[in-house]
Amino acid sequence: KLSLVDQAEPEAGDYEVIVKFHAASLNYRDLMVVTGTYNPKMKVPAVPLSDGAGEVVAVGSEVTRWKVGDEVVGGPSQRCGSCEFCLAGRPSLCLARGAAGEGPGNDGAFAEYIRVQEDALLRLPEELGLREAALAEPLAVALHGLTRGDVRAGRDDRSGRGLTREGPGGAGSVGDRQLRRDAEPGEQAQQAAR
């Protein structure tokens, strides 16, 4: 069940940034969070949605990378900054990482404002709008999968089979669109659902 509540605007700590969201995208995990099927032990109330884009509206006294007005993406999924993965430059594998929208202190992109560490954000290129930027994470997941799997549109020269995409989620759909865009004329990316 969703309900609208008022929350105080967060204040930035020394190394923190306050982001005001202007756009968000919905993925299947978000639907599961809202319906209570993602993690039955999840702390509630929770502000859902994993992926969003917005602008910096306040910075802490020690923040060096951001200024008010910068347009950014990322942020809701906090990292500890001190585990072996964070220290190795792989914060997406952080041992203490909490997913956006998974309870108090880890609000998702449906929040008007969030407080994040300054290194949890990515700057938007000037030519990218906030609505498009809200799809950055699903696109990154899809492209990562295509790259890791050495997947290309059209026929697989080794097997002679067409390319198959599996799964109903947002990243799968984004990957499918990318494959269709990259296909040569006359080639076709085929879908298969499980």
Side-chain angles (χ1 to χ4, degrees):
K1 176 183 171 188
L2 290 177
S3 60
L4 186 62
V5 297
D6 287 325
Q7 291 184 326
E9 184 177 332
E11 294 183 18
D14 290 344
Y15 296 92
E16 295 176 326
V17 175
I18 306 300
V19 175
K20 180 178 183 178
F21 281 112
H22 292 286
S25 61
L26 180 67
N27 67 44
Y28 191 72
R29 186 188 77 81
D30 297 318
L31 177 62
M32 293 174 67
V33 166
V34 170
T35 60
T37 57
Y38 178 69
N39 176 359
K41 295 180 182 179
M42 188 173 92
K43 295 176 184 172
V44 291
V47 180
L49 292 191
S50 304
D51 310 312
E55 70 175 304
V56 173
V57 295
V59 297
S61 62
E62 300 295 322
V63 170
T64 60
R65 297 174 58 188
W66 306 106
K67 66 182 183 319
V68 172
D70 285 342
E71 292 185 337
V72 296
V73 66
S77 187
Q78 300 291 316
R79 280 82 165 172
C80 73
S82 59
C83 73
E84 63 182 292
F85 294 109
C86 286
L87 294 174
R90 301 190 69 196
S92 64
L93 300 176
C94 175
L95 297 173
R97 178 176 169 239
E102 283 196 352
N106 209 6
D107 290 344
F110 257 179
E112 186 174 6
Y113 299 95
I114 61 164
R115 175 179 47 223
V116 297
Q117 296 293 319
E118 73 172 306
D119 60 358
L121 301 170
L122 297 172
R123 187 176 315 277
L124 296 187
E126 288 184 23
E127 64 273 9
L128 187 64
L130 291 167
R131 289 180 61 193
E132 295 84 6
L135 293 169
E137 180 69 14
L139 178 60
V141 169
L143 293 178
H144 177 72
L146 294 173
T147 302
R148 294 280 303 199
D150 194 27
V151 175
R152 294 185 180 88
R155 293 218 174 272
D156 180 336
D157 293 335
R158 293 167 292 182
S159 68
R161 294 187 307 257
L163 181 65
T164 301
R165 187 229 0 135
E166 297 181 18
S173 298
V174 171
D176 183 54
R177 294 284 295 181
Q178 182 68 30
L179 289 171
R180 291 177 187 277
R181 186 185 70 91
D182 291 347
E184 296 293 326
E187 291 181 335
Q188 193 175 359
Q190 301 172 359
Q191 287 183 306
R194 283 191 171 181

